[in-house]
Amino acid sequence: MQPSRLFLACILSLWTLVLPSGATMIPRKNDQVPKGFITTNSRNFQLDGKPFVFVGANSYWLPLLTSQADIETTFKSMKQAGVKVLRTWGWNAINGTELEGALQTNLTYYQVWNGTQYLVNDGSQGLQRLDNVISTAEKYDIKVIVAFANNWFGSDLYIQWMLGTGQSHDIFFTNRKTIASYQAYVKTIISRYKDSPTIFAWELMNEARCLSDTLPAGPSCVPGSNTLRTWYREQSDYVRSLDPNHLITTGGEGHFYWKNPRQYWFDNTLVSDYNYNGEAGEDFDHDLLLPNIDFGTYHLYPQSWYVVDFPGSNWTVENWGLQWIDDHINAANKAGKPAILEEFGVGGLQNKTAIYPKWVQHALDTKHAIMPWQWGQLGLTESGGNRLIKYADAIIDGASPNDGNTFYANQTEVWDVFTRAAKIQNARSG
């Protein structure tokens, strides 16, 4: 099916009720939600009034599969491993120049940009594939976290097509045209699943930052500017106005903005830590206090964030990760809201085997939900078990895409870390 044109009903946000005094009423979550919807109670998640404690799985590639048998196989494996929550992308966007190739290769895409507004593909090669993932998750009693947008590549399409070249990345968060376009897509997704108890939560964006992989940060997104917090607040309030029952979170990496940020030695110099000094744009302590942010998320990739091998350093990936976990649980305790260690990874099987047991145990001890990046599935059969999906995403010898952080069932020591944790979490659930 060819994509249908998205109708932008409102260019400006008209969803906030303006009171006679000029004040605004913040939409709030329903106190009583339908049966089967996830709720929070202080630092805990609940399902129908009972504790809901879990190990989850990240899989952006599940909606990219074209074989229902492979989708079923993946969910069956997750269920057997004790996974209770799946996190996946609610976006898959392409440029108009890629459309012909996408149609030829049966690539999943939800949006196509070929002008100042995108087209939504709600056909069998588009959002119907996300529909199928969510309905299959329901079959296996697995909840789903859906992220609306991506800081990396995806959000910059809004900027490039709507605003042109020469822009900084953070204009996405402040320009009324991009905000209205983002909200229109959010409304499209929410309208499909608003009444579904399979949805665990909505995520505003995966890993929002002042900069992206293609565009730099601008002068209006700096430590203390509150650019991301302002955007988080507006968009979480907007989502709440559309859906009073599902949970909402940022999808952020959990960067801090501390008055006295942590420092570390680099090249014989003591430098301010990007993850703590506000340069990324987030302020985890205060973002978590927003009225329609129901729980916190944070990610953990010290190998990617730091140069870790230099003479005289006593810095270790393992210890930094344990500190990062502590800092976020302390913030969550102060806010009185749950936190999810939503993504984490290290490269190399030996590193995974040595470090993951420590990180996961500490997360268990501090009452975290745990979602490693990322789930690996073996035995996929589409295209004979070998298919180049897009860019570096490929099924090879029946194995799902591997970005170096992926873990598979045949990596027994690593696999056992997560299945053991899942048993512990499930025993804590009601």
Side-chain angles (χ1 to χ4, degrees), residues 297-316:
T297 66
Y298 68 100
H299 301 174
L300 172 54
Y301 296 104
Q303 282 181 318
S304 301
W305 294 343
Y306 297 92
V307 178
V308 298
D309 296 318
F310 52 91
S313 172
N314 61 358
W315 192 100
T316 69

Side-chain angles (χ1 to χ4, degrees), residues 61 65 70 73-74 376-387 394-402 408 410:
W61 49 264
L65 298 182
D70 286 347
T73 295
T74 302
Q377 183 63 43
L378 301 173
L380 300 178
T381 60
E382 65 176 70
S383 302
N386 291 280
R387 177 190 170 210
I395 299 170
I396 301 175
D397 295 332
S400 61
N402 185 356
Y408 299 93
N410 61 357

Side-chain angles (χ1 to χ4, degrees), residues 40-44 287-296 329 331-339:
T40 63
N41 182 4
S42 184
R43 282 271 292 108
N44 305 306
D287 297 342
L288 190 53
L289 298 177
L290 293 173
N292 281 311
I293 296 300
D294 296 303
F295 62 92
I329 201 64
N333 286 337
K334 290 177 182 177
K337 294 182 180 181

Side-chain angles (χ1 to χ4, degrees), residues 214-226:
T214 59
L215 294 176
S220 64
C221 198
V222 296
S225 65
N226 293 326

Side-chain angles (χ1 to χ4, degrees), residues 37 49 60 85 89 125 128 130 150 152 231 314 344 391 425:
F37 281 60
Y60 71 87
V85 178
W89 301 160
Q125 202 172 323
Q128 288 181 25
L130 183 59
N150 191 18
W152 314 112
W231 186 82
N314 61 358
F344 61 95
Y391 307 139
Q425 298 286 63

Side-chain angles (χ1 to χ4, degrees), residues 29 37-38 45 85-91 127 130-131 134 143-149 182 185-206 231-232 235-252 292-297 340 342:
K29 191 175 187 296
F37 281 60
I38 300 295
F45 294 108
V85 178
L86 164 72
R87 177 173 175 256
T88 196
W89 301 160
W91 81 87
L127 286 171
L130 183 59
D131 295 343
I134 292 173
K143 303 290 187 182
V144 183
I145 298 173
V146 177
F148 295 129
Y182 164 87
Y185 186 69
V186 166
K187 188 173 183 179
T188 296
I189 298 299
I190 290 177
S191 66
R192 299 179 86 89
Y193 313 118
K194 177 181 178 179
D195 298 323
S196 171
T198 302
I199 299 297
F200 181 98
W202 304 118
E203 274 194 2
L204 303 180
M205 176 178 282
N206 175 58
W231 186 82
Y232 282 157
Q235 306 324 313
S236 61
D237 288 352
Y238 176 70
V239 171
R240 178 62 68 228
S241 75
L242 300 176
D243 183 350
N245 294 319
H246 285 110
L247 300 179
I248 303 168
T249 192
T250 63
N292 281 311
I293 296 300
D294 296 303
F295 62 92
T297 66
I340 299 180
E342 188 185 57

Side-chain angles (χ1 to χ4, degrees), residues 29-169:
K29 191 175 187 296
N30 282 344
D31 292 332
Q32 299 294 325
V33 301
K35 182 178 175 60
F37 281 60
I38 300 295
T39 59
T40 63
N41 182 4
S42 184
R43 282 271 292 108
N44 305 306
F45 294 108
Q46 292 188 332
L47 174 61
D48 298 331
K50 298 179 180 179
F52 186 82
V53 191
F54 64 91
V55 168
N58 281 281
S59 176
Y60 71 87
W61 49 264
L62 250 178
L64 305 181
L65 298 182
T66 59
S67 164
Q68 181 60 24
D70 286 347
I71 294 171
E72 294 273 355
T73 295
T74 302
F75 274 112
K76 184 177 181 180
S77 296
M78 289 181 179
K79 184 71 174 178
Q80 290 173 341
V83 168
K84 293 166 68 175
V85 178
L86 164 72
R87 177 173 175 256
T88 196
W89 301 160
W91 81 87
N92 272 299
I94 61 173
N95 286 299
T97 55
E98 301 174 285
L99 180 58
E100 182 178 355
L103 295 173
Q104 291 174 351
T105 61
N106 202 15
L107 177 70
T108 301
Y109 69 97
Y110 307 152
Q111 296 168 293
V112 57
W113 286 91
N114 203 20
T116 56
Q117 284 298 337
Y118 53 81
L119 304 177
V120 169
N121 178 10
D122 59 2
S124 60
Q125 202 172 323
L127 286 171
Q128 288 181 25
R129 289 188 177 168
L130 183 59
D131 295 343
N132 181 56
V133 166
I134 292 173
S135 64
T136 308
E138 182 179 12
K139 176 180 175 180
Y140 288 90
D141 196 25
I142 292 175
K143 303 290 187 182
V144 183
I145 298 173
V146 177
F148 295 129
N150 191 18
N151 191 72
W152 314 112
F153 176 69
S155 55
D156 284 348
L157 289 176
Y158 288 80
I159 298 169
Q160 293 159 4
W161 284 99
M162 299 182 72
L163 307 179
T165 60
Q167 307 290 341
S168 61
H169 172 68

